[in-house]
Amino acid sequence: MNYLILSSVPWEAYKYKRLLDLLPDRGEVLFAGGMTPGQQEEYDIQSLSLAEIYKLNAKEYTVLVSSPYWLPDVMTLEPAYTVALLEACPEGEDSGLWDKYSALLAARADLVATASERLYLEQNLRRDGVVYLSGDSPLSYGIIRRGDGLFFLSGYEAIWTRALGELWQPSAGSPVSWLDIQRRHRADFYLSMCEKLPDQPTVHYLAASYLYLLGDEAASRYLTQSFELMLLHDYTDCLHSHYRFFSAIEAKQGHLELAAAQYAITAFTDEERARAAEMQNWLDHGQKELLQAEICRVNEDSAAAIIILSGSSYTEAKLMLLLNYIETYQWEKALQLQREMEAGSDAGVGNAAGTSPPAKGAAAASQQLPVIEGTLHLLHGRRHAAIRSFLRAAGADHQARPLFAEMADLEEAVGRLRGRVDE
């Protein structure tokens, strides 16, 4: 496989150099930006300008992207595979813009990797296919020979090479995925930390989080310890941050009545109380899929909610699925689902559950979709179409200025990045 590196920084500051040595089935490797002849020879990597990149047949390349401002180029190039190397917002960049377009890059990527555990957990709750580029195991998990050199792999490096290789060569029915292997590594690490730091609520909470992702019932026990320690430390705001998590754990185990009751305990605002009432209504009418999916969503586990809703026959589930797509930045899927829903409505398709979708959710989606459409037009280089969508989103209130300001900020950020490549 050939690889194209789209970096956020010059080669000297690029921090994934070792991972490039470990690329599986390593063919031609290209770097967008300047490299000295010595660097190109040392790392067996060729340096290209932006103009030269656009002469490539991108269908023959896996692209490794470490800046969200490469997204317009990725969407134009349409490579064989896209790997998003997510990073925290660097100093000097607009964090809101960086985080939004990082989320869009991750949603479009075939594989997401990050050295930030916060981003790793966040992405695990949004999708499959996430690699944590760090770890604490001193053991070697394999050897790669590259030319005259031998590379002894750490745990996460072995998972990185396996995950990349399986993009184009999926494993044949392996009983344990690399995804669960890494989650188990992280769970084991925090379980050992719980023994070393028994009075630290954070390590118990992280242990519970990884056990939850693994579907392990022990998650409830470690969350209980974390919650009790939080109370002992007088953290009075932990009902939302900790106790609500119990509802997700119980929902995943199929204990929906208990899950709904636990969520209701944490419902303080009018909106939360209305949601709790809706959950009880679903429970009373046997609409378990809707209840389970919403419990997952309010606990930020949209990945689980999407799986549940994708298999549901309720029309109401389609709207909920649409909202989950929007929240996880899977915007192309959101627009496609919206078109399908409109076509079904025109054809007179009824609601399988006998109830109508919540007006508030439908209204929220209808307000966001023109903005989503405009943003995707912009990323595809359709500037005039983006402007029309943003004007439609602004409506009679003429609130287009923030949309155009973000559009200008994105274009400026993309221009700065491209300028660095061609320096």
Side-chain angles (χ1 to χ4, degrees):
M1 174 57 68
N2 299 320
Y3 296 89
L4 172 61
I5 314 304
L6 300 178
S7 173
S8 61
V9 295
W11 173 256
E12 289 77 11
Y14 191 68
K15 59 186 180 183
Y16 305 108
K17 293 183 178 73
R18 177 174 166 85
L19 294 182
L20 300 185
D21 286 325
L22 309 180
L23 294 172
D25 192 22
R26 193 180 193 269
E28 184 179 51
V29 182
L30 309 176
F31 181 82
M35 295 176 67
T36 67
Q39 290 169 338
Q40 294 181 63
E41 182 178 357
E42 178 184 357
Y43 291 96
D44 192 19
I45 294 174
Q46 183 181 349
S47 169
L48 268 72
S49 68
L50 191 60
E52 289 172 321
I53 287 171
Y54 272 90
K55 295 177 182 177
L56 299 172
N57 178 5
K59 297 293 185 185
E60 298 177 355
Y61 289 82
T62 293
V63 176
L64 277 61
V65 193
S66 54
S67 168
Y69 303 138
W70 281 114
L71 188 52
D73 298 285
V74 171
M75 296 176 82
T76 300
L77 290 167
E78 295 185 339
Y81 302 99
T82 299
V83 179
L85 297 168
L86 295 189
E87 300 178 357
C89 181
E91 186 177 350
E93 295 284 359
D94 181 318
S95 61
L97 196 72
W98 178 276
D99 292 344
K100 175 179 177 177
Y101 287 92
S102 289
L104 284 166
L105 172 63
R108 186 174 181 81
D110 301 288
L111 182 69
V112 175
T114 179
S116 162
E117 190 158 23
R118 177 186 64 81
L119 291 173
Y120 174 67
L121 278 169
E122 178 184 281
Q123 289 297 317
N124 265 281
L125 293 170
R126 292 184 177 181
R127 62 186 50 82
D128 277 343
V130 188
V131 179
Y132 182 46
L133 298 178
S134 187
D136 309 273
S137 174
L139 302 176
S140 173
Y141 286 80
I143 299 174
I144 286 181
R145 181 182 294 277
R146 187 77 69 214
D148 295 331
L150 284 178
F151 295 88
F152 293 86
L153 304 183
S154 66
Y156 77 84
E157 289 172 340
I159 288 169
W160 161 254
T161 57
R162 179 172 170 181
L164 267 181
E166 287 188 5
L167 287 179
W168 56 87
Q169 293 178 338
S171 61
S174 174
V176 182
S177 73
W178 58 264
L179 186 71
D180 282 339
I181 290 172
Q182 190 163 50
R183 288 171 172 174
R184 175 51 66 183
H185 284 176
R186 300 312 298 155
D188 290 344
F189 170 75
Y190 282 108
L191 290 174
S192 68
M193 291 296 291
C194 287
E195 295 180 3
K196 297 173 184 176
L197 302 170
D199 296 327
Q200 291 297 319
T202 301
V203 295
H204 290 83
Y205 186 85
L206 288 167
S209 298
Y210 284 111
L211 291 169
Y212 166 79
L213 289 170
L214 290 163
D216 192 322
E217 293 184 8
S220 182
R221 183 168 73 254
Y222 285 91
L223 181 59
T224 298
Q225 292 172 334
S226 179
F227 181 65
E228 291 175 350
L229 287 168
M230 290 289 283
L231 293 177
L232 287 173
H233 287 84
D234 292 327
Y235 289 106
T236 57
D237 60 347
C238 56
L239 275 180
H240 278 87
S241 62
H242 283 61
Y243 191 83
R244 182 172 290 180
F245 188 12
F246 284 112
S247 65
I249 294 172
E250 296 299 340
K252 203 163 199 176
Q253 299 298 327
H255 308 146
L256 299 183
E257 186 171 351
L258 177 57
Q262 288 170 331
Y263 175 80
I265 291 172
T266 70
F268 296 131
T269 68
D270 290 342
E271 182 179 351
E272 289 171 338
R273 285 192 288 269
R275 185 180 291 121
E278 184 69 10
M279 289 178 182
Q280 187 60 48
N281 181 59
W282 288 330
L283 187 64
D284 294 342
H285 290 85
Q287 296 170 280
K288 296 181 179 180
E289 295 165 2
L290 303 183
L291 171 58
Q292 189 176 33
E294 185 65 3
I295 288 286
C296 291
R297 188 192 72 81
V298 297
N299 282 281
E300 301 181 2
D301 189 0
S302 289
I306 286 169
I307 292 171
I308 296 164
L309 295 168
S310 296
S312 176
S313 61
Y314 297 127
T315 302
E316 190 169 1
K318 290 187 179 298
L319 175 61
M320 294 170 65
L321 181 58
L322 175 65
L323 294 173
N324 275 278
Y325 281 153
I326 291 173
E327 290 178 359
T328 56
Y329 294 86
Q330 299 180 65
W331 286 359
E332 289 169 322
K333 290 182 180 180
L335 291 178
Q336 177 60 34
L337 180 56
Q338 175 68 10
R339 288 191 286 268
E340 293 172 3
M341 291 169 63
E342 289 174 349
S345 177
D346 292 341
V349 176
N351 189 314
T355 61
S356 59
K360 188 169 184 180
S366 66
Q367 290 171 359
Q368 294 180 72
L369 287 171
V371 178
I372 287 171
E373 181 184 65
T375 303
L376 292 177
H377 280 317
L378 186 62
L379 291 171
H380 279 287
R382 301 186 289 261
R383 198 171 190 274
H384 292 296
I387 291 172
R388 288 195 295 271
S389 293
F390 290 153
L391 288 172
R392 188 169 74 254
D397 295 334
H398 305 292
Q399 295 297 314
R401 183 177 296 177
L403 298 175
F404 291 144
E406 181 179 307
M407 178 175 163
D409 289 342
L410 176 64
E411 290 175 338
E412 182 183 347
V414 170
R416 287 198 308 270
L417 179 65
R418 292 174 176 172
R420 287 198 295 270
V421 170
D422 285 333
E423 284 179 354

